[in-house]
Amino acid sequence: MMLASVVRFWHNGWIDKLYIQPDFFFSYRGFEWVKPLGDGTYVLFALCAISALMVALGYKYRLAILMFFLSFTYIELMDKTTYLNHYYFISLVSFLMIFLPASAYFSVDARKNDKVAFQRVPRWTVDAVKLMLGIVYFYAGLAKLNSDWLLNAQPLSIWLPSKYSTPLLGDLLQERWMHFAFSWAGALYDLAIPFLLLYRKTRVPAFVAVVIFHVLTRVLFPIGMFPYIMILSALVFFDAPFHKRILRVFGRLVNTSIGRFENDKSKPELGMLRIGKPILMIFFVVQLLLPFRHVLYPGELFWTEEGYRFSWRVMLMEKAGYANFKIVDAETGRRFYVDNNDFLTAFQEKQMATQPDFILEYGHYLKRHFEQQGHQNLQVYVESYVSLNGRGSQAYIDPKVDLAQVKPSYKHKNWILPFNDEIKGL
Amino acid sequence: MVMMALSFTLACGDSGGDDGPDDSDNFDREAMLANWADNIIIPAYDHYLDQLRALQSSKEAFISEPTMDNLSTLRTDFRAAYMAWQQVSMFEIGPAETVTLRNFTNIYPTDVSEIEDHVSMGGANLELPSNNDSQGLPAIDYLLYGVGADDAAILSKLSETSYQNYLSVVVDRLHTLTDGVRTAWVTDVYRDEFVGASGSSATSSVNKMINDFMFYYEKSLRAGKVGIPAGVFNGNPLSDRAEAPYAGDLSRELLQASFSSVMGFFRGDHFDNSGRGPSLGQYLDDVQAFKGSIFLSRAISNQSALAQEDIQKLRTDLKTQVEIDNAAMLTAYDELQELVVLFKVDMFQALNVQVDFVDADGD
């Protein structure tokens, strides 16, 4: 078996990606030290691009994948605002691949050194990637089994009609039944696709479904590379002869016959593979449990977002918010409001206003900022409103809580006001 | 297909519960854009331009014969032009955005020492953004009402050629800029471009106009006219930050004109009050946007009535209002603020507006 084909697309996309540099960045807890490096950020991106290319070529594979994992993850950790499930997915897969022998076949490494060339790798190394993909799809499907998605077709009922100028589909997207059709089809697709891809007889139609589904999401939603990544990733479910056919064609282009890799050798489970196996077992146990951590928190998950990230909850909610910060001088009682435009980009403000951990972090930043200007004993209050999946706006954070006194923690945030509705489901 | 649609609608009607809107026709955004352009924006520019022409001719009359009577006429025309400006200021899109009409027209507080410099130097390059705050309507406010301690002193200053020249340049520039913007709308292609861009991308006219509308409401109206002078963002009331502080009794009227233009635009009211066309309000109704048990558009108009009531209670001179009773100013601010939530959270979500705010100074 071989993995080489899976990594070919990795060098697409993020080379020309730019990072805008606002005054303030939202950090992940425990990773506050990860900050953009100023102009060094470009070096970081270059490093990431080069290592991705090296991974794709299979050149100095271990070093390259480690470099890619570290640089990509660093980029992701710089600003929480840009959190996307598929960036997380890429980080996870690249972590996984540190331990996998993806350069054993059809790679520069294997071509230069016959000793590291193997026609076969242990089955579990490929299965690990399949399992990762399966988790992404299946958990995304489970998360869709909620009353907003299935019974109210939300948030698709908000998103789809606004795509009225989509060719052919524009008018259909206005129809209520289409929103339900998309919702239910989406949930079924996510739940079933890993199994359909695993099963030989349904694999080809399943892959056709993967292509249709992701192309459709690409047309309808601004989600960048994700559809392409998922389509290409799904190829890992196909068997060796299929990949060999692709590589044979590709091999002609780069003047490398795949025949030279057909050495009938199997990669022994030594070195990284031996270390990797138990690490990956722990990794997958964590991956299986982490998305369910929200059960440890009271309150509605979509509302509090405690345990929402890193759990494959994709495109599940439309949240709009507005947060108006009030700074009070505890001694004089003097108070004023903050103009968020002075500190945040529009995108950061939008993300901040609907997520409690952002609100808290920004509140602390404001306190520091104004205390540096000579004020003392400042209190920070926020008047905020959030609208979730088409419900009317509702007060979000307790306006009487001084955020300056709230310490960030993983405990339940009791300063979030209760949600006046119920969303049933997982 | 029809059968499928029916069965889905039926199935969902039962389970969807209270907020299951029935299948909606595709709202005609192009008709809404045409209504905005033809019945609101272009007539508003026409009207403003008429007022600027009147201001120009009364300025000429005053310069050739600087009498108290001619000063009064000049002031009356200035007030009318300032009021008319409130009805176009929010349309900072297309040609107005290109020339940054709002920044050249209504940045206040105006920089008095800079104006005096320009007057004594015999002019200045008013195309420089750094001179935004020494031209436009706020500069005229100062020239007509603030250059002297009383009317006699003002008249004597304005009889000097240097002041007359600067006044003339500032008035003419307003006219030139606005005329260019109106021409772009009416005779050039912008009107068709605006109405034609009825798609759903972030750069479509609907999306941009809603963002511009929101930006105007938050920055220029709520903050600029009320919040900043009332000290909301600073902790200390800053009465000299009120609009048209030299004219004195004009600022509340300007605020009212601005607010009713915003609400008129929301409702799709024709500029000449001859009727009503497709609007944001109708669009919200069309996508069945609710706030609690009532239509969101209704909640917005209810809240706007409360804000209007509180504004009506203010003195005609907001500068004095801040100095004497700032609490009333803060009350009005709070009501205006409530509308921000309805617009920016509820309306933006219901219409799935892409947020694209750029940092810029409002007037």
Side-chain angles (χ1 to χ4, degrees), chain A residues 8-134:
Chain A
R8 246 183 297 126
F9 64 92
W10 278 70
H11 58 92
N12 284 330
W14 29 110
I15 298 169
D16 57 340
K17 194 157 193 161
L18 289 175
Y19 228 68
I20 321 155
Q21 296 170 16
D23 297 334
F24 172 68
F25 295 92
F26 290 97
S27 305
Y28 290 93
R29 278 181 38 76
F31 293 96
E32 288 83 359
W33 50 274
V34 180
K35 291 283 173 211
L37 310 170
D39 286 342
T41 310
Y42 291 99
V43 179
L44 189 63
F45 271 94
L47 202 68
C48 187
I50 293 166
S51 55
L53 185 67
M54 284 164 67
V55 170
L57 295 173
Y59 176 66
K60 300 215 184 294
Y61 173 75
R62 294 283 175 211
L63 176 73
I65 187 70
L66 188 67
M67 226 165 76
F68 178 80
F69 168 70
L70 291 176
S71 58
F72 189 89
T73 308
Y74 190 95
I75 290 168
E76 197 196 332
L77 290 173
M78 286 192 303
D79 190 359
K80 199 157 61 171
T81 318
T82 55
Y83 171 80
L84 279 178
N85 279 292
H86 71 263
Y87 292 158
Y88 175 52
F89 170 72
I90 288 166
S91 273
L92 290 181
V93 171
S94 56
F95 175 77
L96 195 65
M97 285 174 55
I98 293 174
F99 304 99
L100 302 183
S103 64
Y105 186 91
F106 201 77
S107 71
V108 176
D109 288 347
R111 191 179 156 170
K112 280 167 65 176
N113 183 353
D114 282 346
K115 283 191 194 125
V116 299
F118 298 95
Q119 186 182 345
R120 284 181 253 280
V121 296
R123 171 173 268 287
W124 66 263
T125 58
V126 181
D127 287 344
V129 178
K130 293 182 189 173
L131 178 59
M132 191 66 241
L133 275 166

Side-chain angles (χ1 to χ4, degrees), chain B residues 330-351:
Chain B
L330 291 171
T331 310
Y333 177 85
D334 288 343
E335 298 294 355
L336 291 170
Q337 176 66 28
E338 298 266 313
L339 269 176
V340 173
V341 177
L342 294 175
F343 282 137
K344 208 176 179 179
V345 183
D346 293 347
M347 180 173 84
F348 270 49
Q349 172 159 94
L351 303 182

Side-chain angles (χ1 to χ4, degrees), chain B residues 286-358:
Chain B
D286 189 81
V287 299
Q288 305 269 318
F290 278 92
K291 175 75 185 171
S293 57
I294 57 172
F295 269 127
L296 177 58
S297 61
R298 163 61 53 188
I300 288 174
S301 78
N302 289 348
Q303 181 55 37
S304 90
L306 293 178
Q308 233 146 3
E309 236 170 73
D310 280 333
I311 293 170
Q312 183 61 41
K313 286 182 199 147
L314 300 174
R315 286 158 199 271
T316 52
D317 178 2
L318 298 183
K319 181 171 179 285
T320 317
Q321 180 70 53
V322 169
E323 285 159 359
I324 291 176
D325 175 18
N326 195 36
M329 202 68 174
L330 291 171
T331 310
Y333 177 85
D334 288 343
E335 298 294 355
L336 291 170
Q337 176 66 28
E338 298 266 313
L339 269 176
V340 173
V341 177
L342 294 175
F343 282 137
K344 208 176 179 179
V345 183
D346 293 347
M347 180 173 84
F348 270 49
Q349 172 159 94
L351 303 182
N352 198 21
V353 178
Q354 316 286 319
V355 176
D356 100 273
F357 272 14
V358 280

